[in-house]
Amino acid sequence: MSLIVKTKTKISFLIILLIGLGLRLFYFPDELPLIADGMDYFTYATTINFYGYLPNEWAPANIGWPIFLSFWFSLIELDSSLNYMQFQRILSIVLSSLTVIPIYYLCRKFFSTKISLVGISLFAFEPRIILNSTLGITESLFILLGVSSLVIFLQYSRRGILIAFTLVSFATIVRSEGIF
């Protein structure tokens, strides 16, 4: 590929990434608290952060996302629970937006550059994925780990396969469906 084509591809990729991130932030419910599963994950993450260990009394079905959140909650100091909830949503949005990177490499493994850009556009602009990323639930991290493991696995190196299975194990902790 020539330098001009590479530059156009990088610019197109960056534009798709930024528009996808912009759409997610546009639909960001900044004054509403989390609901349903997002609230369960938030409560468990704050409990982990408060006690410093995994509580034995109760646990959501999938504990990988709350463990991931508790790590980030321990690094930042916010003044209210609503701010932590918004941070959970922002983290989910960022992970969902960054997922276009491994999706591009996965598409690139099988298709041309132009088709790969169409592939990441389908992901970046898909309404249900945008909605799920604003809910602060497990899907963003799960999809990122799953697609990343697939991309690394398809490199067919011994080290890559070990890393891919490690990522799959993390994906399984985030959502138990990752085992399949």
Side-chain angles (χ1 to χ4, degrees):
M1 275 201 311
S2 70
L3 182 62
I4 295 173
V5 173
K6 285 183 181 181
T7 305
K8 285 183 179 181
T9 302
K10 288 179 183 178
I11 291 171
S12 300
F13 181 87
L14 189 60
I15 288 171
I16 293 168
L17 176 73
L18 292 175
I19 291 174
L21 180 62
L23 281 172
R24 285 161 174 77
L25 292 174
F26 179 77
Y27 289 108
F28 182 75
D30 56 349
E31 295 297 323
L32 297 174
L34 294 169
I35 57 170
D37 288 342
M39 187 62 163
D40 289 341
Y41 296 129
F42 172 77
T43 305
Y44 196 71
T46 54
T47 304
I48 293 170
N49 196 26
F50 180 75
Y51 289 121
Y53 60 87
L54 297 176
N56 297 345
E57 298 80 33
W58 62 279
N62 304 302
I63 63 169
W65 177 243
I67 291 171
F68 182 75
L69 286 174
S70 69
F71 168 75
W72 289 100
F73 287 173
S74 68
L75 294 180
I76 61 167
E77 190 71 34
L78 298 173
D79 57 348
S80 71
S81 293
L82 184 62
N83 288 340
Y84 280 104
M85 290 180 190
Q86 301 312 328
F87 181 72
Q88 178 176 339
R89 284 184 167 142
I90 289 170
L91 195 58
S92 180
I93 286 170
V94 168
L95 291 174
S96 179
S97 298
L98 290 177
T99 304
V100 299
I101 297 169
I103 288 176
Y104 174 78
Y105 286 110
L106 181 64
C107 290
R108 195 66 192 101
K109 184 82 172 165
F110 301 104
F111 303 108
S112 68
T113 303
K114 289 181 183 179
I115 301 297
S116 299
L117 290 173
V118 171
I120 64 169
S121 297
L122 290 174
F123 181 84
F125 307 140
E126 212 289 317
R128 288 171 294 236
I129 292 176
I130 292 172
L131 177 65
N132 277 347
S133 69
T134 62
L135 295 176
I137 54 179
T138 62
E139 275 77 10
S140 299
L141 182 59
F142 178 71
I143 294 171
L144 179 64
L145 290 171
V147 174
S148 297
S149 67
L150 191 57
V151 168
I152 293 170
F153 180 79
L154 291 175
Q155 290 179 353
Y156 303 117
S157 69
R158 185 176 185 94
R159 173 187 268 171
I161 291 173
L162 292 174
I163 293 170
F165 278 99
T166 302
L167 289 176
V168 167
S169 69
F170 290 142
T172 302
I173 294 170
V174 171
R175 288 191 57 123
S176 56
E177 293 87 358
I179 195 107
F180 299 114

